[in-house]
Amino acid sequence: MDIVGFLKSQFVCHLLICYIFIVSGLIINFIQLFTLILWPINKQLFRRINCRLAYCISSQMVMLLEWWSGTDCTLYTDPESYHKYGKENAIVILNHNFEIDFLCGWNFCERFGVLGSSKVLAKKELSYMPIIGWMWYFLEIVFCKRKWEEDRKTVIQKLLSLRDYPENFWFLIHCEGTRFTEQKHQISMKVAEAKGLPKLKYHLLPRTKGFAVTVQCLRNVVSAVYDSTLNFRNNENPTLLGVLNGKKYHADLYVRQVVYIFISFKRIPLEEIPEDEQECSTWLHKLYQEKDAFQEEYYRTGTYPAVPIVPPHRPWTLLNWLFWALLLLYPLFKLLINMINSGSSLTLASFAFVIII
């Protein structure tokens, strides 16, 4: 192992990275709190500011994937559609098989300049979580309780409020609702059998109501739906801990722009997706049958039938992290030196206790 790889695997380095993320995140959350005074005065300015503040948090996670672990991400897509990515609002359907698939989704948001404004449909409990959850609150993320009878009105209201959003955004959706496991897959296929739906081998049954409502509410605002399939070469199963340890992965993301019922490389406007909720649900089930067959082909051949493109790195994630590192590490080291010089065993023990926590 070289010296860089050795340092990346050390707990002290991980501790410093976590310290920078937590302290900078809480500082940004505190600043976001004060931006609330702008909401009744200039809502669009509030949104633009919070997009950039949110970028300061989420880009640190992307920095770990791109620069710390050096993970390679290759995009397979139609070259004619490639130039539209990042220049239009889109709903992005992601498979949910890996621990870091959300991070890879963020990575591609970053490559196309929509990371700060990207949206998700998230569990209500996450809104109470410091840093990420609070950041999402100020980004007007759509939170739900997973009880559709209670969620429907709230979700529709939040989605409709995004119709005048001033920044281009991608709305990332895991239609399966949860990460794929064999146990969940068995339960999901029992539901498919009970409903008379074709069984899937590599996906869970999609939850259609959230997707259908999202399409209805964002129609004429969102230009297209991107069907995205993420895989890792050599059957790798990446983890956040692996990324933190600097382990390099090779991610392949295939983006297909969706058409009515069948998938094509040709871009079709969102208006071609059925407006009726039931028809939209049927359409989504057909899409997942296509995704399942497509996944099986990938496992068989190890590649996608499209042009591979590596979107260029942008330096901003690294520069943002370096800014916060320089800002926060100096007072930390100064405090540590002062405590060592004080010679107080109680002070050092208290500091060690805080670090352990």
Side-chain angles (χ1 to χ4, degrees), residues 28 135 137 333:
I28 292 166
M135 171 192 79
Y137 173 82
F333 290 137

Side-chain angles (χ1 to χ4, degrees), residues 181-193 204-205:
T181 66
E182 286 300 329
Q183 183 180 7
K184 293 174 184 177
H185 180 250
Q186 292 175 10
I187 296 172
S188 182
M189 291 309 98
K190 287 180 181 178
V191 174
E193 185 176 2
L204 305 179
L205 206 63

Side-chain angles (χ1 to χ4, degrees), residues 133-147:
W134 296 350
M135 171 192 79
W136 278 350
Y137 173 82
F138 289 99
L139 273 183
E140 300 168 73
I141 292 299
V142 182
F143 293 105
C144 58
K145 299 178 181 177
R146 301 282 182 92
K147 297 179 181 178

Side-chain angles (χ1 to χ4, degrees), residues 301-313:
T301 63
T303 187
Y304 293 121
V307 178
I309 302 172
V310 178
H313 277 279

Side-chain angles (χ1 to χ4, degrees), residues 12-71:
V12 173
C13 293
H14 303 166
L15 197 63
L16 293 177
I17 289 172
C18 292
Y19 160 76
I20 293 168
F21 178 75
I22 291 171
V23 176
S24 65
L26 292 175
I27 291 172
I28 292 166
N29 285 160
F30 187 70
I31 296 172
Q32 287 181 305
L33 182 63
F34 281 95
T35 65
L36 285 173
I37 62 174
L38 291 173
W39 180 265
I41 302 170
N42 191 331
K43 182 172 71 173
Q44 302 297 47
L45 178 60
F46 167 88
R47 286 169 158 175
R48 292 184 187 278
I49 290 174
N50 275 284
C51 282
R52 281 133 188 94
L53 291 173
Y55 181 86
C56 291
I57 296 176
S58 54
S59 68
Q60 293 187 50
M61 300 285 289
V62 175
M63 185 282 300
L64 286 177
L65 186 72
E66 285 190 334
W67 298 94
W68 182 258
S69 78
T71 293

Side-chain angles (χ1 to χ4, degrees), residues 107-148:
N107 179 34
F108 281 95
C109 287
E110 158 59 21
R111 299 288 178 101
F112 294 104
V114 293
L115 176 60
S117 57
S118 63
K119 312 296 178 189
V120 295
L121 190 63
K123 292 184 291 186
K124 178 67 176 178
E125 292 80 4
L126 293 175
S127 65
Y128 305 116
M129 186 176 71
I131 305 176
I132 297 292
W134 296 350
M135 171 192 79
W136 278 350
Y137 173 82
F138 289 99
L139 273 183
E140 300 168 73
I141 292 299
V142 182
F143 293 105
C144 58
K145 299 178 181 177
R146 301 282 182 92
K147 297 179 181 178
W148 188 244

Side-chain angles (χ1 to χ4, degrees), residues 167-184:
E167 304 272 339
N168 287 331
F169 64 86
W170 287 1
F171 198 100
L172 309 178
I173 297 182
H174 293 293
C175 292
E176 295 160 274
T178 185
R179 187 151 56 95
F180 183 97
T181 66
E182 286 300 329
Q183 183 180 7
K184 293 174 184 177

Side-chain angles (χ1 to χ4, degrees), residues 75-237:
L75 178 68
Y76 291 78
T77 190
D78 175 13
E80 293 183 4
S81 301
Y82 179 78
H83 72 277
K84 294 186 176 72
Y85 298 153
K87 297 180 175 63
E88 63 181 1
N89 296 332
I91 297 171
V92 183
I93 298 175
L94 295 161
N95 58 329
H96 205 355
N97 291 36
F98 307 101
E99 186 175 308
I100 67 166
D101 49 14
F102 82 95
L103 191 52
C104 292
W106 276 7
N107 179 34
F108 281 95
C109 287
E110 158 59 21
R111 299 288 178 101
F112 294 104
V114 293
L115 176 60
S117 57
S118 63
K119 312 296 178 189
V120 295
L121 190 63
K123 292 184 291 186
K124 178 67 176 178
E125 292 80 4
L126 293 175
S127 65
Y128 305 116
M129 186 176 71
I131 305 176
I132 297 292
W134 296 350
M135 171 192 79
W136 278 350
Y137 173 82
F138 289 99
L139 273 183
E140 300 168 73
I141 292 299
V142 182
F143 293 105
C144 58
K145 299 178 181 177
R146 301 282 182 92
K147 297 179 181 178
W148 188 244
E149 294 75 17
E150 299 178 23
D151 286 332
R152 185 181 181 91
K153 183 178 179 181
T154 303
V155 169
I156 290 175
Q157 182 181 5
K158 293 291 289 184
L159 287 169
L160 290 175
S161 71
L162 297 177
R163 293 185 63 84
D164 63 342
Y165 208 77
E167 304 272 339
N168 287 331
F169 64 86
W170 287 1
F171 198 100
L172 309 178
I173 297 182
H174 293 293
C175 292
E176 295 160 274
T178 185
R179 187 151 56 95
F180 183 97
T181 66
E182 286 300 329
Q183 183 180 7
K184 293 174 184 177
H185 180 250
Q186 292 175 10
I187 296 172
S188 182
M189 291 309 98
K190 287 180 181 178
V191 174
E193 185 176 2
K195 293 184 176 182
L197 295 169
K199 292 185 178 182
L200 305 173
K201 292 177 65 177
Y202 306 106
H203 297 84
L204 305 179
L205 206 63
R207 300 182 180 185
T208 60
K209 292 180 180 179
F211 174 78
V213 166
T214 301
V215 170
Q216 289 173 356
C217 293
L218 296 182
R219 193 172 291 276
N220 301 321
V221 175
V222 167
S223 301
V225 171
Y226 303 155
D227 173 35
S228 305
T229 303
L230 174 69
N231 280 296
F232 290 84
R233 297 176 198 172
N234 304 319
N235 294 319
E236 293 175 313
N237 188 15

